[in-house]
């Protein structure tokens, strides 16, 4: 590819002048026609590898090799073209956002590197009322396109795996169980009655009660408590950590309503 021409005022076109080239890339990247002074690029030029070259050219007598003029220094600047697509160096990505986040909530910022032009993007919530108990994970495909998205621009893609973190948005719900522990039906609370007194100083088994919570982690850790309506010495309630149920022990006649709170 012809780039430029070096010409001496002393050159009469009779072939008596020889042009030489020196400097960065002379002979490997650039060459000169020693008769005409035309300078050519003999290798592919990549601005992202090297943006400019400093060269020196001179006219000499072909027979005596005597310099006819001082060497001329010039700079070859490589013009950029859009030959690099955006890339996401750290993809695919993982991110988390609380469930029920408002539209516009920031989730993650991505950077697409482009040797021609860097591109930045921000992922935000665009769906209202995202419920973790309904759907916990989302996969979003992100595309970065250079040239401002105009026709002819190059594009790169990546994925973002987004998980919804739990919020304490579900109240505990009781399973109604008979005294053997079999579940009967889910109810909001449960009332147990028993007029049996203590036997041998130990409480009788009054029943078991379980509260279920659709949340997870600390949001699902239910604290089983009782509301004492009368004669608080009539019963005890404790939690079985293995089976996650409340165990109600009858001490003497009572009426109990159990409630779970998280």
């Amino acid at each position: 590819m012809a780039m430029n021409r070096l010409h001496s005022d002393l050159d009469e076109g009779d072939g008596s002048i020889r042009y030489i080239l020196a400097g960065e890339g002379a002979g490997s990247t650039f060459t000169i026609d020693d008769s005409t002074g035309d300078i050519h690029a003999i290798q592919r030029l990549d601005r992202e590898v090297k943006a400019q070259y400093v060269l020196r050219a001179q006219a000499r007598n072909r027979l005596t090799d005597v310099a006819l003029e001082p060497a001329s220094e010039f700079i070859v600047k490589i013009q950029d073209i859009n030959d690099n697509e955006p890339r996401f160096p750290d993809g695919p990505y993982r991110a988390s956002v609380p469930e029920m986040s408002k539209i516009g909530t920031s989730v993650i910022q991505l950077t697409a590197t482009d040797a021609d032009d860097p591109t930045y993007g921000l992922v935000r919530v665009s769906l209202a009322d995202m419920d973790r108990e309904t759907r916990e994970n989302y996969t979003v495909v992100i595309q970065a396109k250079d040239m401002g998205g105009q026709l002819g621009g190059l594009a790169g893609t990546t994925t973002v795996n987004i998980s919804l973190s739990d919020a304490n948005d579900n109240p505990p719900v009781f399973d109604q169980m008979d005294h053997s522990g079999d579940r009967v039906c889910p109810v909001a609370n449960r009332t147990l009655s028993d007029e049996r007194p203590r036997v041998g100083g130990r409480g009788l088994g009054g029943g078991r009660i379980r509260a279920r919570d659709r949340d997870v982690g600390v949001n699902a850790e239910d604290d089983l408590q009782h509301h004492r309506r009368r004669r608080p010495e009539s019963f005890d309630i404790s939690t079985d950590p293995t089976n996650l149920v409340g165990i109600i022990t009858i001490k003497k006649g009572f009426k109990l309503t159990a409630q779970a709170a998280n």
Side-chain angles (χ1 to χ4, degrees), residues 8-262:
S8 172
D9 292 338
L10 301 177
D11 190 350
E12 297 179 353
D14 57 2
S16 62
I17 292 181
R18 180 172 67 91
Y19 295 97
I20 62 173
L21 187 67
E24 295 178 315
S28 58
T29 303
F30 303 99
T31 188
I32 190 170
D33 186 320
D34 67 352
S35 298
T36 64
D38 289 338
I39 299 174
H40 300 265
I42 56 177
Q43 286 192 1
R44 181 179 181 272
L45 302 177
D46 189 346
R47 185 193 67 85
E48 289 73 43
V49 175
K50 190 171 179 61
Q52 66 179 32
Y53 297 80
V54 180
L55 296 169
R56 295 181 304 278
Q58 191 176 40
R60 291 177 173 268
N61 185 286
R62 186 177 293 276
L63 296 178
T64 64
D65 199 32
V66 174
L68 302 178
E69 294 177 348
S72 299
E73 184 177 276
F74 58 96
I75 297 176
V76 178
K77 293 185 177 180
I78 310 303
Q79 183 179 1
D80 185 39
I81 62 172
N82 189 29
D83 59 343
N84 293 278
E85 71 278 4
R87 297 179 182 273
F88 294 91
D90 300 322
Y93 300 84
R94 292 186 178 275
S96 179
V97 66
E99 62 176 326
M100 299 298 176
S101 293
K102 295 181 179 180
I103 292 178
T105 299
S106 175
V107 178
I108 186 175
Q109 178 172 312
L110 305 179
T111 301
T113 60
D114 188 326
D116 299 316
D117 185 22
T119 304
Y120 306 92
L122 186 64
V123 179
R124 296 182 182 272
V125 173
S126 62
L127 296 176
D129 301 327
M130 292 192 298
D131 186 7
R132 187 199 66 83
E133 288 73 39
T134 301
R135 181 176 178 181
E136 184 175 0
N137 298 300
Y138 294 81
T139 298
V140 180
V141 178
I142 305 296
Q143 182 185 72
K145 194 171 185 179
D146 59 16
M147 293 180 60
Q150 298 179 10
L151 184 65
L154 303 177
T157 61
T158 189
T159 57
V160 181
N161 297 307
I162 301 173
S163 61
L164 299 184
S165 59
D166 187 50
N168 190 21
D169 59 342
N170 291 279
V173 177
F174 277 104
D175 287 347
Q176 184 171 335
M177 308 170 71
D178 62 21
H179 287 197
S180 66
D182 295 330
R183 186 173 62 175
V184 178
C185 63
V187 293
N189 55 55
R190 182 183 177 196
T191 300
L192 293 177
S193 296
D194 201 318
E195 300 300 329
R196 293 177 293 176
R198 293 184 299 175
V199 176
R202 295 180 301 173
L204 295 174
R208 291 186 294 171
I209 192 163
R210 177 184 289 115
R212 300 179 185 272
D213 196 319
R214 297 179 66 199
D215 295 321
V216 295
V218 295
N219 294 329
E221 294 178 0
D222 299 324
D223 180 17
L224 290 168
Q225 302 173 347
H226 61 260
H227 292 271
R228 305 185 181 204
R229 292 187 176 180
R230 60 184 178 180
R231 291 179 295 183
E233 70 281 0
S234 300
F235 60 89
D236 282 328
I237 183 168
S238 60
T239 302
D240 180 349
T242 302
N243 299 313
L244 299 178
V245 296
I247 301 174
I248 301 169
T249 304
I250 301 169
K251 300 167 69 175
K252 57 194 302 186
F254 72 91
K255 187 171 183 63
L256 159 69
T257 296
Q259 183 181 53
N262 61 2

